[in-house]
Amino acid sequence: MLKSVTLIAASTILLASFSTSAALSDKQAKNAVEFRKSIFQLVKSNVGPFGAMAKGQMPIDEALIEKNATRLHQLSLMLPDYFVADTRNNDVQTNALDKIWDNQGDFNHKAQNMTTKSKELLDAVQNKKSDQYVAKMRAIFGTCKACHDDYKAD
């Protein structure tokens, strides 16, 4: 637990040190990209079961929906923070398109949509509105697609 807290604190300090107006060293840019990739891996691992449930490839599991919707909600709140560091001018490998930093308001709005939709799924499962689960899961995928369409390289 202490190791996790220490890692989170170190990540927070590193992110706080990034400035949109200051140039990043390649090391800082590399770290920023690694953090971004890590958060998206967590998003992917938590949204994956929703796809299988929505397609009928696995049974609806309310406990898993609640757990993963909670996680997605928290992760979505962090997304804008991980894109404060503008890595366009650094030699780093990233799938993030440069226009993220030209359109940060829109990018942040799209992240907020994921926050909203994951909260709606969480509310549905907590209120046992099982007839809404699949639609709410698909709405989360819609938020992913909206952002990928505009801001992720193919």
Side-chain angles (χ1 to χ4, degrees):
M1 176 72 171
L2 182 58
K3 185 177 179 182
S4 296
V5 171
T6 303
L7 180 60
I8 291 169
S11 298
T12 302
I13 291 167
L14 181 61
L15 284 172
S17 71
F18 296 142
S19 169
T20 56
S21 61
L24 298 175
S25 71
D26 283 341
K27 182 178 179 180
Q28 289 173 316
K30 183 179 180 236
N31 287 336
V33 170
E34 285 181 23
F35 291 144
R36 283 185 218 148
K37 288 179 179 181
S38 295
I39 198 165
F40 283 118
Q41 283 298 319
L42 291 170
V43 168
K44 182 180 176 181
S45 71
N46 283 281
V47 80
F50 294 161
M53 285 184 232
K55 293 175 186 173
Q57 296 171 342
M58 73 181 281
I60 298 294
D61 181 335
E62 289 180 336
L64 183 60
I65 294 171
E66 183 171 9
K67 178 173 70 174
N68 287 17
T70 299
R71 289 176 177 172
L72 281 173
H73 184 260
Q74 291 301 310
L75 291 166
S76 68
L77 292 169
M78 297 177 207
L79 288 173
D81 296 337
Y82 286 89
F83 283 88
V84 170
D86 183 343
T87 57
R88 288 182 282 192
N89 296 319
N90 295 92
D91 185 25
V92 292
Q93 294 231 320
T94 178
N95 290 325
L97 295 176
D98 289 352
K99 62 183 178 175
I100 285 175
W101 294 281
D102 294 328
N103 302 306
Q104 278 211 302
D106 182 59
F107 177 82
N108 293 344
H109 176 73
K110 289 177 190 292
Q112 178 60 46
N113 286 344
M114 179 184 270
T115 302
T116 300
K117 297 304 179 186
S118 59
K119 180 69 168 101
E120 288 175 2
L121 176 58
L122 183 59
D123 290 344
V125 76
Q126 289 175 337
N127 292 300
K128 305 290 186 200
K129 295 181 178 180
S130 59
D131 60 318
Q132 296 180 8
Y133 296 169
V134 171
K136 301 290 186 191
M137 287 185 250
R138 288 185 177 146
I140 291 172
F141 284 112
T143 68
C144 297
K145 183 180 181 331
C147 200
H148 290 192
D149 286 351
D150 291 341
Y151 299 114
K152 183 180 180 195
D154 295 327

